[in-house]
Amino acid sequence: MSRSTVTAKPPAPGLVPDTRGRRLPRTLHPVAWWIWALALATAVSRTNNPLLLFLVLAVLGYVISMRRTEAPWARGFAYYLYLALTVVAIRVVFRAVFATGITPRDHFLFSLPHIPTPDWYAGIQLGGPVSLEALLSAATDGLRLACMLCCVGAANTLANPKRALRVLPGALYELGVAVTVSISVAPQLVQSVQRVRRARRLRAGRHKGLRALRGIVVPVLEDALERSLRLAAAMDSRGYGRAGTATRRSRRMTGALMLLGMCGLCAGAYGLLDATAPQLLGLPALAAGAALCVAGLRLGGRRVTRTTYRADPWLFPEWAVAGCGVLSAALLFSGAGFDAAELNPSIYPLSWPTLPPVPAAAILLAGAAGFLAPPPTASRVPAQRTEETT
Amino acid sequence: MTDRATAIRIAPRAGLVIALASFLGVVAFFWPFLVAPGKFGSNYAPPLIFGVLLVIVLCVVLSEIAEGGINSKALAMLGVLSAVNAAIRPLGAGTAGIETVFFILVLAGRVYGPGFGFTLGCTSLFASALITGGVGPWMPYQMFGCAFVGMLAGLLPKATGRREVLMLAVYGSLSGYLFGFLLNLSFWPFSLDPNSSIAYLPGLPFTQQFHRYLAFDLATSLGWDTGRAVTNFVCVTLAGPAVLTTFRRAARRARFQAPVEFR
């Protein structure tokens, strides 16, 4: 991945480093990756065409192999692919086992033994004849879901979660601190467990399995809690809990906004579900409630003052990456220049799906993120940038 | 100072918000049984709408809990215990994964009170998802479920000695089942082919829909859930007393609600 196999001369001291036409490596803003991936997932939700879906997977694979870092969270994409396979398999198997019979137009494949279910369990059939069409439709639908899952996986792989934590609103400052603490403490816990186990071996602790649980858990927990008290003292001495600019009035206002917003959300949820509720109670009430809650969160953020050390910039590459994802979704939803039926090819009559050119181009456009984003930091110096906490 | 130290106090306003949030949570999980026929066009839209809804609700609840003040000791303990949870989560057997999380969550909720339990449920899953790269639309549902497991553990009735451990063990295994039931419900509407006889079919009467869901739950995850329930029961019974003592000692040393005096 490190394409910068540098044979260049070292830069002259005091000058801007010569990048020889290449861009300087830096991490893209995590929100840009998330927008890109979610837009692609939205585009995927529109289509059922297996050719387009495989194209999406190829694009994801290309972008990830171009722009992923060496960080621990960047190794997870393979698990998402396994998960995707499982999703497809579950869908196909369940379609075959919990069948609903076949029509005369279907191609008969094989028949599973029919198992009768009791009368009171009406509507659920087990076994019976299985058709090719049923399995194909289950597989393509499953593939769509799997593709959406892989888009989310790609965002997880590409975006740096520690830097994403900064996007949390000020009202959730405490949550962010707790999560940051836990991410930094987790590796120390592993060391703690190793220390305890070594001590047990030295003392010839013979218990194995579940019986050893107590002997390991308690010392590790004691260690962790001890550490938390030390950490709290350190936080106190560095001025944690400093009050922000919130006045008594603005706090009351925050509370009122939140409560009103929650009531709006409740009314909206009720309106969404009940058929007799007036139209206004559905999505409009939900949106109004959400807006009130967001306003409350903004106002509540005044409780704390935060300063940013090394802000993540939002420059041209961020606009470009987010933009190509959104544009690809917009193209697929606009239906311009292609027949919408080509996105969801029918399985009656059974035929090989065609690859419509405009949607394919739209998906390839999303793949442009692979070179629009700046290259990630070279693998030799990941320790400095990825270990740093917010 | 009582035996049950409350690390994070829930103010009346936060209590009201939590009550509203639990109503919304019930709706967000149980909508397949509650919705009137013909209200939703696609099976993909409602889980997303309710997922966004749950994110907002969680933000509001956490912000309201924090409004009452989380002192540095409670916050540091929150961070460290979520690290413990995030570290032991992958120890559980594979993808179901939540088996071992409940163990610390239930015990900590019991000792440090409902507010702490709620927050710990959220931060544990959040930290774990960030570390393992598991952020996604399923997270609000998981966080919501875990938050309520932790909070309800803090609201359990008074008991001491063996009865307390037994009560917590039973609660741990029951909550394991309930968590599995709810989480399955959250992805059931879109995870199966609509023509399958155990898939969600909009517009069916409640009993038939419920039968379909039960069959789905039985076929997919009853084994997992049983494993989770058993693990919880065994862990709490074996290590529960010692861990409870450890937590209580830490609570005494931290003196969360120490009176402030100026002289």
Side-chain angles (χ1 to χ4, degrees):
Chain A
M1 237 174 322
S2 61
R3 295 168 77 223
S4 50
T5 42
V6 189
T7 52
K9 312 178 287 264
L15 290 177
V16 179
D18 175 22
T19 55
R20 296 173 48 114
R22 288 202 198 90
R23 285 160 299 169
L24 282 175
R26 73 176 176 97
T27 41
L28 197 76
H29 199 293
V31 173
W33 280 128
W34 274 99
I35 291 179
W36 174 79
L38 291 182
L40 199 55
T42 319
V44 164
S45 74
R46 185 87 173 78
T47 176
N48 211 356
N49 188 331
L51 295 177
L52 286 177
L53 292 177
F54 279 117
L55 193 63
V56 169
L57 283 182
V59 159
L60 288 178
Y62 166 71
V63 175
I64 285 172
S65 60
M66 289 293 288
R67 288 296 178 253
R68 116 182 125 162
T69 56
E70 304 280 315
W73 57 81
R75 295 179 207 137
F77 193 66
Y79 297 107
Y80 276 94
L81 287 179
Y82 288 128
L83 198 61
L85 273 184
T86 320
V87 164
V88 176
I90 283 184
R91 239 179 138 107
V92 170
V93 169
F94 275 38
R95 180 74 175 88
V97 174
F98 298 94
T100 42
I102 58 173
T103 58
R105 290 195 298 158
D106 290 344
H107 295 71
F108 174 80
L109 267 191
F110 56 89
S111 188
L112 291 171
H114 185 77
I115 300 166
T117 44
D119 282 345
W120 53 269
Y121 225 78
I124 295 168
Q125 300 169 27
L126 275 170
V130 178
S131 70
L132 180 61
E133 279 82 355
L135 290 193
L136 274 181
S137 84
T140 48
D141 263 4
L143 191 62
R144 170 167 62 180
L145 195 60
C147 264
M148 291 160 90
L149 202 63
C150 286
C151 288
V152 172
N156 274 305
T157 311
L158 292 165
N160 183 338
K162 287 182 186 169
R163 305 194 79 86
L165 267 184
R166 299 180 174 194
V167 185
L168 281 184
L172 297 181
Y173 165 71
E174 283 87 355
L175 178 78
V177 172
V179 172
T180 311
V181 166
S182 68
I183 290 180
S184 337
V185 163
Q188 298 172 12
L189 279 174
V190 178
Q191 287 174 1
S192 171
V193 170
Q194 284 166 350
R195 217 169 39 236
V196 169
R197 288 183 61 183
R198 199 163 54 234
R200 281 172 56 80
R201 263 211 309 282
L202 287 175
R203 274 182 269 126
R206 279 185 302 275
H207 292 307
K208 285 242 165 70
L210 274 177
R211 300 179 120 227
L213 185 72
R214 206 182 331 179
I216 293 179
V217 164
V218 173
V220 169
L221 270 183
E222 281 282 358
D223 198 22
L225 294 173
E226 186 80 21
R227 181 173 287 136
S228 84
L229 286 184
R230 279 204 305 272
L231 182 66
M235 281 162 64
D236 277 339
S237 68
R238 282 166 182 77
Y240 167 80
R242 188 164 56 112
T245 57
T247 56
R248 179 180 285 265
R249 197 157 150 263
S250 86
R251 287 184 174 220
R252 278 214 194 109
M253 185 79 187
T254 311
L257 280 176
M258 301 264 198
L259 279 178
L260 266 179
M262 290 292 276
C263 290
L265 290 182
C266 287
Y270 171 75
L272 268 188
L273 299 181
D274 191 15
T276 57
Q279 198 63 263
L280 198 68
L281 259 188
L283 280 177
L286 214 54
L292 283 176
C293 284
V294 170
L297 284 173
R298 288 295 295 270
L299 197 60
R302 289 199 194 162
R303 214 156 30 81
V304 285
T305 24
R306 291 192 300 177
T307 52
T308 315
Y309 172 65
R310 208 203 312 249
D312 287 318
W314 186 280
L315 303 174
F316 173 74
E318 276 81 7
W319 283 115
V321 167
C324 69
V326 171
L327 196 62
S328 127
L331 269 177
L332 273 186
F333 271 84
S334 71
F338 61 95
D339 185 10
E342 281 178 305
L343 286 183
N344 299 296
S346 162
I347 46 171
Y348 295 103
L350 214 51
S351 65
W352 187 255
T354 54
L355 185 67
V358 175
I363 288 170
L364 286 178
L365 179 69
F371 51 84
L372 285 175
T377 36
S379 54
R380 274 171 285 119
V381 284
Q384 291 167 9
R385 292 198 65 115
T386 52
E387 294 294 312
E388 139 201 325
T389 55
T390 47
Chain B
M1 198 88 193
T2 55
D3 198 24
R4 299 176 63 173
T6 350
I8 297 175
R9 228 179 317 183
I10 296 185
R13 204 171 83 192
L16 195 58
V17 169
I18 290 180
L20 289 174
S22 44
F23 168 75
L24 283 171
V26 167
V27 171
F29 279 106
F30 285 95
W31 69 265
F33 304 131
L34 302 174
V35 68
K39 285 293 271 190
F40 290 126
S42 120
N43 287 354
Y44 283 92
L48 281 180
I49 295 178
F50 286 122
V52 174
L53 187 78
L54 282 188
V55 170
I56 298 175
V57 166
L58 279 176
C59 286
V60 168
V61 172
L62 286 172
S63 148
E64 280 296 291
I65 288 180
E67 233 285 323
I70 300 182
N71 65 20
S72 59
K73 285 176 255 182
L75 192 66
M77 198 163 279
L78 205 57
V80 168
L81 284 183
S82 358
V84 173
N85 268 341
I88 61 177
R89 190 172 171 202
L91 294 186
T95 45
I98 318 285
E99 285 87 350
T100 39
V101 165
F102 281 6
F103 159 57
I104 298 281
L105 184 59
V106 165
L107 295 177
R110 168 75 179 170
V111 173
Y112 298 125
F116 190 87
F118 190 97
T119 326
L120 183 64
C122 291
T123 50
S124 304
L125 277 185
F126 197 18
S128 157
L130 283 185
I131 289 175
T132 54
V135 182
W138 47 85
M139 230 175 65
Y141 292 96
Q142 289 180 336
M143 279 168 75
F144 204 84
C146 269
F148 272 85
V149 166
M151 189 181 81
L152 292 180
L155 293 175
L156 287 177
K158 270 188 184 162
T160 46
R162 269 195 201 161
R163 286 185 50 194
E164 183 183 27
V165 174
L166 189 68
M167 176 177 78
L168 289 176
V170 170
Y171 172 75
S173 48
L174 277 185
S175 61
Y177 271 118
L178 192 66
F179 185 80
F181 184 85
L182 289 181
L183 260 264
N184 273 335
L185 194 51
S186 75
F187 58 77
W188 173 55
F190 59 89
S191 62
L192 286 185
D193 190 275
N195 287 319
S196 176
S197 65
I198 57 171
Y200 170 63
L201 196 66
L204 274 189
F206 172 75
T207 42
Q208 278 189 39
Q209 197 81 279
F210 197 64
H211 278 163
R212 280 172 165 241
Y213 177 63
L214 279 187
F216 172 76
D217 197 40
L218 209 69
T220 49
S221 62
L222 201 68
W224 279 119
D225 292 348
T226 309
R228 178 188 297 148
V230 170
T231 333
N232 276 329
F233 191 87
V234 171
C235 282
V236 174
T237 347
L238 277 184
V243 173
L244 280 177
T245 317
T246 313
F247 280 166
R248 291 203 165 117
R249 192 186 304 146
R252 264 200 305 282
R253 289 184 51 196
R255 289 166 58 91
F256 289 115
Q257 309 289 346
V260 180
E261 281 180 50
F262 292 104
R263 293 184 194 181

